[in-house]
Amino acid sequence: MRSKTYAVLIADVMESRSRKDLRALLGKKLDALSRSHLRRKLIQLPYSVTAGDEFQTVTRDLRSLPAAILELRTALRPLSLRIGVGFGGVSGRIQAPVNRLGGEAFQSARRAIESIKAGNLFKFEVLTAFASRHEQFNKTLNLIYGLHDTLVLKITARQWETTKEFLDRPTLERTARRLGVDDSTVSRNLKRGYYWQMAQTVKVAGSLIQRTFC
């Protein structure tokens, strides 16, 4: 049976005022990512800029949501994102434009991203937050991502570049050829860039979301 629970993702660009070319850069990167994620059925609507530095979507496959988040962070570099996700119902038919939709999932997503901005989730910086009517789920997933984000904040530009290429070409050999380095350099950058921890977060978080909502 099809789940009646949707996940709405709201993201904004951190330190956006320092980038004069933000709108053009964000639009270009989101267009490419929307085509990929729509084709792979990760989202139901294209990523749409709904304010100067903010964009939204309604996701499609709840279990694949953590993978979509990792790809967002990777594909939009050098932009850094705050991402709030809300789970629940969506009012009316799901169709563009996304900023005309509403319902519990949108309200929860807004609450999630505002909790990041307010810094009231933890006593340490986080980049990702989740909100739903399931309090234990919220506490568990927010803690997983709070610890995950502690690592994400330490990743260098070169390590992000390696992660992006490895996600596109998931073998050391093909990634090394693309980057013009040797296999050991790719392996070292993935390890030091916490790729394997991020991949495990995707797996565990996806399973938790599936058990809770699907």
Side-chain angles (χ1 to χ4, degrees), residues 63-194:
R63 182 183 174 90
S64 297
L65 173 63
I69 290 174
L70 176 56
E71 290 187 22
L72 266 175
R73 292 205 180 282
T74 305
L76 266 65
R77 297 295 304 175
L79 303 177
S80 297
L81 305 175
R82 283 181 289 244
I83 298 176
V85 178
F87 296 89
V90 172
S91 302
R93 182 180 178 185
I94 298 178
Q95 59 184 358
V98 67
N99 61 342
R100 291 187 180 178
L101 299 175
E104 180 188 11
F106 282 90
Q107 295 164 6
S108 295
R110 179 59 59 190
R111 190 166 70 250
I113 197 166
E114 292 302 329
S115 72
I116 301 173
K117 296 178 183 180
N120 56 17
L121 278 176
F122 301 105
K123 293 183 179 180
F124 50 87
E125 185 177 2
V126 299
L127 302 172
T128 322
F130 302 82
S132 75
R133 64 179 66 182
H134 301 279
E135 287 304 317
Q136 192 58 47
F137 167 82
N138 298 343
K139 290 179 181 179
T140 302
L141 194 54
N142 281 325
L143 178 58
I144 290 171
Y145 267 88
L147 300 175
H148 169 271
D149 290 344
T150 298
L151 301 180
V152 168
L153 286 162
K154 298 178 181 180
I155 301 174
T156 67
R158 179 59 61 86
Q159 291 161 356
W160 275 120
E161 181 185 19
T162 303
T163 294
K164 181 179 184 301
E165 292 297 335
F166 189 75
L167 286 172
D168 290 341
R169 301 165 181 81
T171 67
L172 294 180
E173 296 80 5
R174 295 174 66 189
T175 301
R177 285 199 299 270
R178 176 70 174 177
L179 294 175
V181 298
D182 56 39
D183 294 2
S184 62
T185 299
V186 172
S187 179
R188 183 169 59 252
N189 283 342
L190 291 174
K191 183 176 181 180
R192 292 179 178 176
Y194 307 111

Side-chain angles (χ1 to χ4, degrees), residues 25 49 55-57 67 93 132 137 157 172 196 212-213:
L25 179 61
V49 177
F55 60 91
Q56 303 181 17
T57 191
R93 182 180 178 185
S132 75
F137 167 82
L172 294 180
W196 303 112
T212 304
F213 298 108

